[in-house]
Amino acid sequence: MRLIGPDDRREGPATSGMRRQEAVATGRMWAGLVRTAPGAVSGWHHHGEHESVICVLTGAFRMEFGPGGNQVLQAGPGDFLFVEPGAVHRESNPGADECTAVVVRSGSGDAVLNVDGPPPGGRGAA
């Protein structure tokens, strides 16, 4: 067992528009803190074979996903979000205050894979 304090966290895998701080990383699990500045929008990404649970601590959290990125979830303090393996998404903070969230991922392989955009489809798609 070990205690990981705020000063013990290290920079996590990078995606533009957000800051990940890694608390624990093993071969099958990743846990850390994510911070998103007011008005910031992350790059599109997915988490490979990992399933993720996000618990919003402070601020506003917006998740875009699905074909064409047309599906949206909005969350606030106390809300949990579940992200399926391979689900391409991006996160943003539409609020006036920093958003902080705890993230726990379970799986194997790379925990963050940045991509150019959401899968095609959605409104107006052929």
Side-chain angles (χ1 to χ4, degrees), residues 15 20 42-47 87-91 113-115:
T15 296
R20 291 186 185 98
S42 79
W44 290 97
H45 62 282
H46 65 88
H47 301 290
V88 174
H89 61 281
R90 72 177 175 184
E91 297 147 38
L113 297 140
N114 297 309
V115 296

Side-chain angles (χ1 to χ4, degrees), residues 79-102:
D79 289 335
F80 283 80
L81 297 105
F82 173 74
V83 182
E84 296 175 355
V88 174
H89 61 281
R90 72 177 175 184
E91 297 147 38
S92 62
N93 177 356
D97 299 313
E98 180 181 66
C99 177
T100 59
V102 171

Side-chain angles (χ1 to χ4, degrees), residues 7-76:
D7 293 336
D8 299 323
R9 294 190 299 252
R10 59 182 178 218
E11 290 301 311
T15 296
S16 64
M18 60 176 28
R19 180 177 173 216
R20 291 186 185 98
Q21 292 180 311
E22 182 178 284
V24 176
T26 70
R28 300 180 316 201
M29 191 263 304
W30 186 93
L33 190 69
V34 174
R35 298 178 185 276
T36 308
V41 178
S42 79
W44 290 97
H45 62 282
H46 65 88
H47 301 290
E49 297 300 317
H50 289 77
E51 53 188 6
S52 302
V53 174
I54 301 166
C55 179
V56 180
L57 301 176
T58 66
F61 188 99
R62 177 182 166 99
M63 174 92 65
E64 296 171 78
F65 62 101
N70 287 324
Q71 293 178 285
V72 175
L73 294 174
Q74 301 244 50

